[in-house]
Amino acid sequence: MRSVYFPLLAAAITSAAFSQTGIPHVGLGTGPFVFDTAEQHKVRAVVVVRGIPHPWGMAFLPGGNILITERRGNLRMVRDGVLDPQPLAGLPKVYAVNNAGLFDIALHPKFAENRLVYFTYSKAGPDGQNAITLARGRLEKDGLAEVKDLFTGEWTKILGGSRIAFDPKGLIFMTTGAATAPLIEKAQDPMSVYGKVLRLHDDGTVPQDNPFVGKAGYRPEIYSLGHRDQLGLAIQPETGVVLSNENGPNGGDEVNLILPGRNYGWPRVSFGRNYNGAPISGSPLAESVEPPLVVWLPSIAPSGMAFYSGDRFPGWKGNLFVGGMRRGEIAGTGRLERVVFNDKMEELQRESMLTELQQRIRDVRQGPDGLLYVLTEEEDGALIRLEPVQ
């Protein structure tokens, strides 16, 4: 099997490569590619499948097959390492305009018994509006059956992405965004679900120990508030620690430790700037605002993320991996970020990986085989497997 060391990599450059603020777009080669890292030397990146238009999330089925969502509204299946050309049936109609569409996917903790699959999407509404929605269906051979919406937010004109994850108790954490007008002020509005982390039972009902249950003027689904555009969510399997990442407007991307009832500041305070360069706030910190665990200056446009808990990469055990779409507002600078914490969740080290591929990384997950898998956010999106070189 051919391996390519990146200093000698000859990547294909597309004809529509150049933009005023970016660098030439580099097409992903056939690979595999071998690269080095600070603590896990000699890692191979293998292109498993490609041809997935703008993939968003993935979930591993028992036996190794993989479900992958496409933002435009399709659910795809990778069967025995091959992408099924036919999307799975049963998905509801998705409002796929701009950044709205089909988002994350997760299996019920008892999937082997009930075959339930959960996903988030933008539901079409009246007058060109849409709403963030959590739904579930039962996976059958050719698609989803008994699909039903479990939770739907308020109607809006603009919608960002959403991630979901089950905690060790079987509760669902769900992120919602409030990046731009008219949603931006909703992040601090306790009667809106946007700009929040929500916490729900697996049937969409509200846990009675949510922090705002019974408090007048607050949506009971809210677990934390004051978030911008949350495109990554990870729950540490051993401890149940919940982390969410957040895109700043121009710099100031964050990873936050999500605690019940806490306010994370947006849009009152931010480490980021407006796109014209002006600061968002005089100080990035404020009383009664929870500070981030990690900040990126300049930004990396963080997306999906995952804790690594396997044994195939012993040097990475316990590390957090975060997909990045671009660095410093420059196109063509996507990457995978590795963050090392101590046992107090304090940052020790940070490393950028896969920069040589120049691909936007939309999601990263640990597979049941103990390897890492990433999705590239491209029209010709790809699933890439990271494995140690023996």
Side-chain angles (χ1 to χ4, degrees):
M1 183 175 289
R2 182 174 62 90
S3 295
V4 181
Y5 282 80
F6 284 123
L8 303 178
L9 177 62
I13 299 178
T14 65
S15 59
F18 295 93
S19 67
Q20 291 182 344
T21 59
I23 60 177
H25 174 70
V26 176
L28 180 66
T30 58
F33 312 105
V34 176
F35 59 96
D36 204 7
T37 77
E39 292 177 299
Q40 185 66 52
H41 299 296
K42 293 296 179 288
V43 175
R44 181 185 293 113
V46 177
V47 180
V48 180
V49 298
R50 59 196 315 157
I52 314 168
H54 302 289
W56 223 94
M58 56 181 153
F60 291 85
L61 298 171
N65 290 343
I66 307 169
L67 294 173
I68 297 178
T69 57
E70 294 176 358
R71 191 179 65 212
R72 65 183 181 179
N74 290 331
L75 179 60
R76 308 294 296 274
M77 176 85 81
V78 177
R79 303 178 192 272
D80 300 320
V82 178
L83 180 65
D84 190 327
Q86 294 299 319
L88 295 179
L91 270 289
K93 183 179 179 181
V94 173
Y95 182 85
V97 178
N98 297 324
N99 290 327
L102 179 60
F103 301 125
D104 210 6
I105 187 167
L107 305 184
H108 191 280
K110 296 182 179 179
F111 174 83
E113 302 170 22
N114 58 32
R115 306 287 292 176
L116 291 179
V117 174
Y118 290 70
F119 57 95
T120 49
Y121 75 103
S122 52
K123 183 182 180 72
D127 303 321
Q129 298 185 96
N130 63 119
I132 192 66
T133 299
L134 171 69
R136 78 178 181 195
R138 192 178 311 279
L139 183 64
E140 298 183 346
K141 181 180 178 181
D142 297 319
L144 297 182
E146 303 173 33
V147 174
K148 64 181 295 188
D149 294 339
L150 300 178
F151 170 82
T152 298
E154 315 100 78
W155 299 114
T156 181
K157 290 285 188 180
I158 297 178
L159 191 64
S162 172
R163 292 283 178 188
I164 51 174
F166 282 92
D167 74 358
K169 298 178 180 179
L171 297 173
I172 303 171
F173 283 79
M174 173 180 172
T175 70
T176 65
T180 56
L183 284 183
I184 187 169
E185 297 302 327
K186 297 295 185 181
Q188 293 294 328
D189 181 354
M191 286 302 292
S192 170
V193 302
Y194 294 110
K196 311 297 193 298
V197 174
L198 311 178
R199 182 173 177 252
L200 301 165
H201 285 299
D202 63 357
D203 61 357
T205 58
V206 176
Q208 288 305 297
D209 60 347
N210 270 9
F212 299 112
V213 167
K215 187 171 183 179
Y218 281 79
R219 291 285 299 252
E221 302 92 348
I222 296 173
Y223 195 77
S224 65
L225 66 159
H227 300 284
R228 191 175 183 269
D229 207 7
Q230 303 176 91
L231 304 183
L233 179 68
I235 299 180
Q236 196 173 49
E238 298 83 8
T239 65
V241 165
V242 181
L243 298 187
S244 170
N245 70 42
E246 193 168 324
N247 279 247
N250 185 358
D253 298 340
E254 302 175 353
V255 171
N256 290 304
L257 172 63
I258 302 302
L259 299 172
R262 303 296 177 88
N263 191 325
Y264 292 80
W266 177 256
R268 290 164 44 197
V269 296
S270 173
F271 280 85
R273 305 177 307 283
N274 289 297
Y275 290 105
N276 64 7
I280 296 293
S281 57
S283 170
L285 303 173
E287 287 189 28
S288 72
V289 169
E290 199 69 22
L293 292 182
V294 178
V295 176
W296 279 277
L297 294 168
S299 63
I300 64 161
S303 192
M305 66 181 184
F307 283 102
Y308 183 73
S309 60
D311 297 320
R312 300 294 299 276
F313 299 106
W316 291 348
K317 196 148 191 173
N319 293 180
L320 181 72
F321 287 83
V322 184
M325 309 284 276
R326 64 181 184 183
R327 184 177 186 272
E329 302 300 315
I330 303 298
T333 55
R335 65 202 46 231
L336 181 66
E337 293 278 289
R338 182 178 69 92
V339 183
V340 182
F341 295 105
N342 63 18
D343 57 5
K344 298 178 181 179
M345 295 304 294
E346 297 167 332
E347 183 185 351
L348 298 177
Q349 293 176 311
R350 195 183 306 187
E351 181 179 24
S352 296
M353 301 163 49
L354 304 185
T355 55
E356 299 90 341
L357 293 181
Q358 294 181 234
Q359 302 294 299
R360 290 152 52 88
I361 304 300
R362 172 59 78 184
D363 199 12
V364 54
R365 303 285 174 102
Q366 179 181 318
D369 53 8
L371 301 176
L372 280 176
Y373 292 76
V374 299
L375 289 174
T376 66
E377 165 53 73
E378 307 288 347
E379 181 64 30
D380 181 24
L383 173 67
I384 299 174
R385 182 178 66 241
L386 302 184
E387 56 189 35
V389 176
Q390 301 300 330

